[in-house]
Amino acid sequence: SEDLLYLTEIENQIAHLEDEVLAGTLENFNHKIMACRRKILVCSHYYLQLSDISNILQQNDHGFFTRNELASFRLFSERVGRMHEEALMLREYSTQLREVYQAQIDIRQNKIMKILTVVTTIFLPLTLIVGWYGMNFKYMPELNWKYGYLAVILLSAVIVFFCVRICRKKHFL
């Protein structure tokens, strides 16, 4: 008689998990959703078993039950069927929630990869310049020129400026 309340309680737990997923504040999501899915699975099997029992009793092979009792079994079978459908709906809801959670993870990873790509784009030319100067060439004009280091610093600043400007223009930053 209270199975619908129990299923509603499970649905409320899943809805609460959904709110936490969308807010981004959820920890141990997989454990929580799997606990709900286990409860749903138990309910689903329970209703299937009740449905099987009800169908067997409705067959009334030995003529043991009266018409009123058979009508009661039919009503019982219909109610169990509705409860089973509710459990299946909750299972689908939990599956959709897992997909939403995975989508949230994918969005976070994409943002992180975007930041790493921008940082790499900005600092890769500077790494090339540092690599050239790290080779200690004797005949580089900047080493013998009074303003050589200042020119390399300005060149690096200009490169960073243009990389940042291009990234902003392309809406990467």
Side-chain angles (χ1 to χ4, degrees), residues 92-107:
E92 180 66 28
Y93 183 29
S94 67
T95 301
Q96 290 173 355
L97 181 58
R98 286 179 61 191
E99 291 171 0
V100 168
Y101 177 70
Q102 187 61 43
Q104 291 291 334
I105 289 174
D106 292 342
I107 289 169

Side-chain angles (χ1 to χ4, degrees), residues 148-160:
Y149 286 111
L150 181 61
V152 171
I153 291 170
L154 289 176
L155 175 67
S156 298
V158 168
I159 289 172
V160 169

Side-chain angles (χ1 to χ4, degrees), residues 15 18 25 30 36 45-46 67 80 83 86 93 109 118 130 145 161 169:
E18 182 179 22
T25 59
N30 287 326
C36 288
H45 289 303
Y46 172 69
R67 294 183 117 189
V80 167
M83 298 301 282
E86 181 73 18
Y93 183 29
Q109 287 177 341
V118 168
V130 168
W145 185 35
F161 173 76
K169 187 176 182 179

Side-chain angles (χ1 to χ4, degrees), residues 12 79 87 117 133 137 145 163 169:
N12 290 338
R79 179 180 168 104
T117 302
Y133 275 93
F137 290 134
W145 185 35
C163 287
K169 187 176 182 179

Side-chain angles (χ1 to χ4, degrees), residues 70-87:
L70 289 174
S72 296
F73 282 131
R74 188 175 58 252
L75 290 175
F76 176 74
S77 180
E78 289 173 3
R79 179 180 168 104
V80 167
R82 286 192 306 271
M83 298 301 282
H84 183 253
E85 288 175 11
E86 181 73 18

Side-chain angles (χ1 to χ4, degrees), residues 93-153:
Y93 183 29
S94 67
T95 301
Q96 290 173 355
L97 181 58
R98 286 179 61 191
E99 291 171 0
V100 168
Y101 177 70
Q102 187 61 43
Q104 291 291 334
I105 289 174
D106 292 342
I107 289 169
R108 287 181 189 168
Q109 287 177 341
N110 287 341
K111 287 179 182 179
I112 291 169
M113 291 305 295
K114 181 179 171 182
I115 291 169
L116 291 174
T117 302
V118 168
V119 169
T120 301
T121 303
I122 291 172
F123 288 106
L124 189 63
L126 300 178
T127 304
L128 178 68
I129 293 171
V130 168
W132 280 337
Y133 275 93
M135 293 181 196
N136 295 325
F137 290 134
K138 294 180 182 180
Y139 304 108
M140 292 181 78
E142 295 85 15
L143 294 176
N144 298 328
W145 185 35
K146 180 179 178 182
Y147 300 107
Y149 286 111
L150 181 61
V152 171
I153 291 170

